[in-house]
Amino acid sequence: MQKCNNCNLPFKWSVIYKSAMWLYKPIQCEKCGTDYKISFPSRYIVSFLTVLPILIFGLILSPFDNEFINILIGLCISFTGSFFIPYLVKYKNVNT
Ligand SMILES: [Zn+2]
């Protein structure tokens, strides 16, 4: 998990998760108040983990005859994948 560059306080999982879900909302260090925004490549990681499973299962693979089940499985995978987002994404100081 990423730490604050300024004071080394680790960001909380829930803070990063919420930021990613709210369209990459900037986050602020709870201790020193430094502002962070998500790095550009990290936006791709978030999209890959959340959108791709739905596309692959719902549209490309479609392993089941029932379209609804395909999308539901894709949703389950992307929901599970989203739990890893806080470990994978990187944030950078807004001012640097
Ligand atoms: Zn800090």
Side-chain angles (χ1 to χ4, degrees), residues 4 6-9 29-34 36:
C4 174
N6 200 31
C7 67
N8 272 337
L9 183 83
C29 174
E30 288 177 355
K31 198 172 160 193
C32 69
T34 307
Y36 287 88

Side-chain angles (χ1 to χ4, degrees), residues 47-58 70 74-75 77-78:
S47 316
F48 276 137
L49 285 172
T50 54
V51 179
L52 220 60
I54 298 169
L55 286 180
I56 289 174
F57 270 86
N70 287 328
L75 272 172
I77 294 172
S78 71

